[in-house]
DNA sequence: CGCTTCCTTCAGAAACTTGTGAAGTTAAGG
DNA sequence: CCTTAACTTCACAAGTTTCTGAAGGAAGCG
């Protein structure tokens, strides 16, 4: 029995197929390639954690690439980093329920759109046709902001019923 | 009185400042630069329509660039194209209320994610930890699908109260 | 306290994107 | 039916992005 790489006993081909396929979807939705692949690999791991070395090996990329991808993902709160006690190894973890909450936390993006639209309404004039169009768009985004919060609360209830506290 | 370019009487600097600023936000959210600029220009126009030539002139880009950007935007249902009767000119229009509905029609994106996740659950096994994590994520997206539909219905009601039938 | 392992940073090569000019296509109008 | 205006397509040049190898830095372990 050798030192198994945690994810032993699974068909590496099937895993890789999923990883690349899901990553491709994320890329199409606007995510950079390497963060997408790293994230998909974590999502597909049984433990939900992988070390830098494991990621580099299974994705066939340099430690530098892993480092950059992980920095991005943790800024987006899609993964967290933890140091294994008594080791130089770092583990990266996807919290199954937290990652998609991060997805809906595009709030910062919405806020910036809103602020740009507010400036537009002001500088073009609230009474002009263009100003009114922007004001309506702005109102929509403000509406969405609130709805998302409520939606996530409903989801948390439903999730607990169906999946338990995770 | 010359042939005014429809958008006369506005401070072109203020308009341009908004256009570039809003476009920059769209770019940061993942949209390509030129579609973002074209779209912002339409949003900032009083009539909500501009011709290819007007777009090229105000954004200082070639007809080719306008053509490409508009193709993308109409694929995304963010603008519609209409031919001026008895003219070779094409007009591009942003329907103020339809464009952000298109935004929420990222449904196609969600559906592809769901399908990739379903494959993941199947190929890794619904009983494995990774499979369960994917199943939960999948359930979340399915939940979101439904919520978005309901949310847009609530918005339409509220919109009519506040802005009329547009 | 120095060795070693692992991660990070950085400069640069390679690959991909983006926008242009030029040629091509479509359709109005004589 | 020919001319001409307007949009589109295409090949390529310029500009970005992305990943790598190499050098640098932090932290366990003897």
């Amino acid at each position: 029995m050798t030192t198994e790489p945690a994810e032993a006993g699974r068909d590496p081909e099937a895993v890789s197929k999923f990883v690349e396929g899901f990553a491709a979807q994320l890329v199409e939705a606007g995510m950079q390639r390497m963060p997408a692949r790293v994230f998909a690999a974590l999502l597909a791991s049984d433990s939900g954690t992988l070390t830098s070395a494991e990621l580099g090996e299974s994705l066939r990329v340099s430690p530098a690439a892993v480092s950059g991808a992980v920095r991005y993902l943790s800024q987006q709160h899609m993964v967290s980093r933890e140091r294994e006690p008594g080791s130089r190894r770092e583990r990266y973890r996807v919290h199954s329920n937290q990652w998609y909450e991060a997805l809906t936390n595009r709030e910062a993006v919405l806020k910036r759109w809103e602020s740009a639209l507010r400036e537009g309404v002001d500088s073009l004039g609230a009474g002009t046709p263009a100003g009114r169009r922007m004001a309506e768009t702005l109102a929509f985004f403000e509406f969405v902001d609130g709805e998302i919060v409520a939606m996530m609360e409903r989801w948390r209830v439903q999730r607990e019923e169906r999946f338990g506290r995770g």
Side-chain angles (χ1 to χ4, degrees), chain A:
Chain A
M1 180 172 176
T2 66
T3 316
E4 299 279 336
E7 301 296 329
R10 306 196 302 168
D11 177 359
E13 258 235 48
V15 175
S16 171
K17 193 154 160 277
F18 167 77
V19 167
E20 298 304 330
F22 194 66
Q25 296 303 327
L26 295 174
V27 167
E28 198 157 331
M31 193 184 288
Q32 292 152 346
R33 175 176 302 281
M34 195 56 66
R37 296 179 71 209
V38 166
F39 180 75
L42 280 168
L43 197 64
S45 71
D46 267 337
S47 61
T49 75
L50 292 172
T51 66
S52 189
E54 286 165 345
L55 283 165
E57 193 184 344
S58 81
L59 301 175
R60 309 304 215 79
V61 292
S62 70
V66 174
S67 174
V70 159
R71 179 177 34 187
Y72 173 86
L73 289 170
S74 62
Q75 277 168 2
Q76 305 296 315
H77 302 107
M78 290 176 68
V79 311
S80 57
R81 359 177 46 160
E82 27 190 84
R83 183 51 73 81
E84 294 186 323
S87 160
R88 274 137 295 188
R89 275 210 167 87
E90 206 137 301
R91 302 193 75 80
Y92 308 113
R93 154 166 277 131
V94 57
H95 288 287
S96 36
N97 55 317
Q98 273 164 33
W99 90 261
Y100 50 70
E101 299 229 358
L103 256 198
T104 66
N105 280 346
R106 309 293 287 165
E107 257 184 65
V109 173
L110 277 180
K111 291 297 180 199
R112 284 200 303 272
W113 288 16
E114 287 173 22
S115 134
L117 285 167
R118 230 169 258 124
E119 273 174 44
V121 174
D122 287 352
S123 73
L124 297 191
T128 65
R132 280 194 294 275
R133 183 178 316 112
M134 288 185 210
E136 181 185 326
T137 301
L138 175 56
F140 172 70
F141 286 131
E142 287 168 344
F143 172 79
V144 169
D145 271 352
E147 289 284 312
I148 286 182
V149 172
M151 176 182 84
M152 288 311 290
E153 266 153 29
R154 286 193 292 278
W155 166 249
R156 282 183 209 106
V157 172
Q158 193 174 123
R159 171 177 180 271
E160 201 163 316
E161 282 167 11
R162 296 172 61 183
F163 298 96
R165 290 207 162 272

